[in-house]
């Protein structure tokens, strides 16, 4: 069973960025895949490549970085897409942290940028080898191969979104010491679009939307990623095509037909979300964590521990005092109440305004955010390792906590994002304002779940942007969203410490992409650095 294989996942060899050999010392080529246990182990390896760092436990890493925990794919990707924006800052003194939170990185190696790049390529390499070593002659394997293609597409989307022009290989390229050629953003977008469209076609071996056992992926994940790709097409192609928004709406609808909003927003991010039937109505694709079987200092463990300085809070016996949030950002969720909030106020003071406002001033001594003091600004309590069935105040301190790692599955795609993509795409098609009933209902449904009392008959792009901010914060997509709304490098939208200035400032346009790591440029003369670095 794949869940067992997932639990046993390990990465067993230290590799270089360009190493196209299988990422395991015991891979001997396609012959090994005739053993079902071995084949499922390799499948689990690909699923687990998003959240496992090395073969010797949570403190090990199979890539060369200063902090093994920070090298996890989800954590590194989340860090460069969140800490570089208005959503959060980290106060730790690591050189890479300071560069990300102040948008001052260069082409000199930055651990989080490097880890995102290398982990993405490792996932692609694992997937390519699986596809190269198997075929569709066995129905079960044909399904697995389709799943691997979805996971590879997710990794390639992350590389496209962050780096624009990564090296590109598929299973059709030979295995061995090769130098992959670089692909342009437009060409990778086109390839991903075609790949995902093929995966959702009638001829695809991928199981139908919501037909595969959780947490394996099916056409729901493929449609969800396709919708995300299409709504961002202007970023990747450099030009807008309004007909593409119609395609994004269609892809989003395919997910919305089978998935719906969970009743309780906070339970989507709790320790039993992978077993909670209500949460699973909404979670389309997730990176799965288990405190005992898939230990990692990344993902939800990081989100919780870095947000507290107390070892007995949010269901985790770990408090790292690292990440804070500005009043400016919190005001996007709860409006003027952010300015009048009092130091010491906890989550329940703010969820009465919007149930998604899982923010706190419990550990704050000053509401003005600083990048060198954890007790400044606000703290996000969105991720909580306790279970939805726990009684009492789930935000109180609990001295009996023993878990050092979180068991929260990190949602990579959920139905709420599809609601937002549908509404945004229709609004953009209609010139920035729409009264389309279905688009308006998408926004209304999200607001109703949040405990608001909407009475709206039309929406604007500003309305959609506000709702995206409230709904998807801390889910790793803030940079992508700001770029799409022309708010990331521009001076018309600034936040504390943007560009290194305390009050914020515009960024150079090339900062929309991260640099290709120097190590890869030196090793592969087929690659050129992104413009501006």
């Amino acid at each position: 069973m794949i869940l067992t294989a997932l639990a046993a996942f390990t990465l067993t060899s230290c590799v270089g960025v360009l190493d196209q050999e299988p990422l395991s010392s015991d891979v001997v080529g396609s012959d090994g895949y005739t053993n079902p246990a071995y084949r499922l182990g390799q499948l689990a390896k690909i699923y687990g490549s998003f959240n496992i760092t090395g073969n010797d436990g949570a403190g090990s890493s199979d890539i060369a970085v200063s902090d093994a925990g920070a090298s996890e794919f989800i954590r590194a990707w989340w860090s460069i897409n969140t800490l570089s924006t208005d959503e959060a800052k980290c106060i730790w003194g690591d050189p890479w942290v300071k560069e990300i939170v102040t948008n001052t990185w260069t082409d000199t190696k930055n651990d989080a940028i490097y880890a995102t790049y290398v982990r993405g390529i490792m996932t692609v390499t694992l997937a390519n080898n699986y596809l190269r070593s198997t075929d569709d002659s066995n129905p079960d394997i044909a399904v697995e191969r389709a799943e691997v293609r979805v996971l590879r597409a997710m990794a390639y989307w992350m590389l496209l979104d962050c780096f624009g022009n990564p090296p590109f290989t598929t299973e059709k390229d030979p295995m061995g010491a090769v130098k992959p050629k670089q692909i342009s953003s437009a060409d990778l977008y086109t390839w991903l679009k075609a790949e995902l469209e093929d995966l959702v076609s009638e001829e695809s071996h991928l199981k139908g939307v919501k037909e595969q056992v959780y947490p394996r992926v099916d056409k729901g994940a493929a449609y969800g990623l396709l919708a995300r790709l299409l709504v961002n097409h202007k970023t990747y192609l450099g030009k807008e095509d309004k007909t593409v928004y119609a395609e994004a709406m269609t892809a989003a609808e395919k997910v919305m037909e089978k998935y719906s909003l969970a009743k309780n927003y906070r339970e989507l991010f709790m320790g039993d979300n992978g077993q909670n039937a209500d949460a699973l109505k909404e979670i389309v694709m997730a990176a799965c964590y288990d405190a005992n079987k898939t230990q990692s200092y990344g993902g939800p463990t990081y989100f919780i521990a870095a947000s507290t300085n107390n070892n007995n809070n949010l269901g985790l016996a770990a408090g790292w005092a690292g990440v804070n949030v500005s009043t400016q950002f919190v005001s996007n969720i709860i409006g003027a109440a952010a300015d009048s909030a009092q130091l010491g106020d906890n989550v329940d003071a703010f969820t009465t305004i919007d149930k998604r406002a899982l923010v706190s001033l419990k550990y704050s001594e000053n509401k003005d955010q600083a990048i060198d003091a954890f007790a400044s600004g606000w703290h996000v309590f969105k991720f909580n390792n306790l279970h939805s069935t726990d009684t009492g105040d789930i935000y109180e301190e609990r001295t009996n906590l023993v878990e050092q790692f979180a068991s929260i599955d990190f949602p990579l795609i959920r139905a709420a994002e599809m609601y937002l993509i549908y509404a945004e795409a229709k609004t953009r098609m209609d010139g920035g304002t729409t009264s389309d009933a279905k688009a308006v209902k998408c926004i209304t449904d999200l607001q109703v779940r949040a405990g608001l009392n909407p009475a709206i008959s039309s929406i604007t792009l500003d309305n959609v942007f506000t709702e995206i901010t409230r709904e998807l914060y801390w889910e790793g997509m803030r940079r992508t969203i700001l770029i799409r709304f022309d708010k990331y490098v521009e001076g018309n939208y600034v936040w504390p410490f943007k560009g290194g200035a305390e009050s914020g400032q515009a960024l150079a346009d090339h900062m929309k992409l991260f640099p290709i790591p120097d190590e890869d440029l030196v090793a592969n003369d087929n690659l050129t650095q992104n413009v501006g670095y």
Side-chain angles (χ1 to χ4, degrees), residues 191-483:
W191 180 87
L192 274 170
K193 183 173 183 289
E195 178 78 347
L196 291 166
E197 288 174 340
D198 184 64
L199 283 164
V200 299
S201 69
E202 290 186 4
E203 294 75 24
S204 171
H205 294 290
L206 197 62
K207 288 196 174 184
V209 179
K210 215 174 189 338
E211 291 183 0
Q212 182 56 285
V213 60
Y214 179 86
R216 291 174 63 173
V217 297
D218 57 26
K219 287 184 179 179
Y223 273 122
L225 183 56
L226 178 60
R228 183 185 296 174
L229 177 77
L230 295 172
V231 82
N232 282 293
H233 76 273
K234 181 181 176 183
T235 298
Y236 309 137
L237 298 178
K239 58 182 179 180
E240 186 175 43
D241 181 349
K242 289 193 175 182
T243 64
V244 177
Y245 292 126
E247 296 179 75
M249 291 166 63
T250 298
E253 280 184 301
K254 292 294 185 180
V255 180
M256 293 159 59
E257 288 170 1
K258 298 291 185 178
Y259 286 87
S260 58
L261 301 181
K263 293 180 180 179
N264 192 317
Y265 180 82
R266 75 176 74 192
E267 290 181 10
L268 288 164
F269 312 98
M270 294 188 70
D272 62 342
N273 64 345
Q275 297 82 44
N276 182 332
D278 186 54
L280 291 178
K281 287 167 36 181
E282 181 166 346
I283 299 174
V284 181
M285 180 180 182
C288 297
Y289 293 81
D290 184 279
N292 298 311
K293 298 174 182 176
T294 53
Q295 296 181 347
S296 170
Y297 290 114
T301 296
Y302 167 67
F303 306 147
I304 292 174
S307 298
T308 71
N309 63 1
N310 187 293
N311 287 342
N312 300 290
N313 210 24
L314 302 178
L316 205 66
W320 302 345
V323 178
N324 59 24
V325 181
S326 70
T327 299
Q328 175 185 316
F329 181 77
V330 174
S331 68
N332 291 323
I333 306 175
I334 60 174
D339 291 321
S340 59
Q342 300 297 306
L343 296 177
D345 285 348
N346 208 356
V347 174
D348 290 338
F350 309 114
T351 51
T352 56
I353 303 169
D354 189 312
K355 292 180 181 178
R356 297 167 295 190
L358 304 176
V359 295
S360 175
L361 289 168
K362 178 178 181 178
Y363 298 131
S364 303
E365 298 173 0
N366 189 326
K367 284 173 61 179
D368 293 330
Q369 184 186 36
I371 55 173
D372 58 359
F374 172 75
S376 66
W378 298 61
H379 303 97
V380 167
F381 286 2
K382 184 169 182 173
F383 293 87
N384 188 321
N385 201 41
L386 294 172
H387 286 196
S388 57
T389 54
D390 281 329
T391 59
D393 184 354
I394 61 173
Y395 299 103
E396 69 181 359
E397 295 179 7
R398 303 191 179 204
T399 57
N400 62 338
L401 295 177
V402 296
E403 294 290 3
Q404 296 292 326
F405 300 96
S407 294
I408 307 166
D409 294 348
F410 178 74
L412 286 164
I413 301 173
R414 56 188 182 92
E417 182 190 356
M418 299 300 107
Y419 282 53
L420 291 162
I421 286 175
Y422 186 96
E424 179 185 339
K426 183 58 177 171
T427 304
R428 290 187 184 277
M429 283 182 66
D430 290 354
T433 302
T434 189
S435 56
D436 175 79
K438 188 166 185 176
V440 172
K441 187 175 187 302
C442 284
I443 298 299
T444 300
D445 286 352
L446 291 168
Q447 292 184 343
V448 168
R449 177 172 69 174
L452 305 180
N453 187 27
I456 54 176
S457 58
S458 65
I459 52 175
T460 67
L461 277 180
D462 284 343
N463 298 145
V464 175
F465 177 75
T466 296
E467 210 58 39
I468 289 173
T469 301
R470 294 168 174 170
E471 182 71 29
L472 299 180
Y473 71 97
W474 273 46
E475 294 182 50
M477 291 181 288
R478 185 60 171 178
R479 173 188 146 274
T480 305
I481 293 161
L482 291 177
I483 290 172

Side-chain angles (χ1 to χ4, degrees), residues 25-44:
S25 59
D26 59 351
V27 176
V28 293
S30 59
D31 289 347
Y33 285 79
T34 60
N35 181 330
Y38 177 83
R39 189 188 76 249
L40 288 175
Q42 295 305 305
L43 177 61

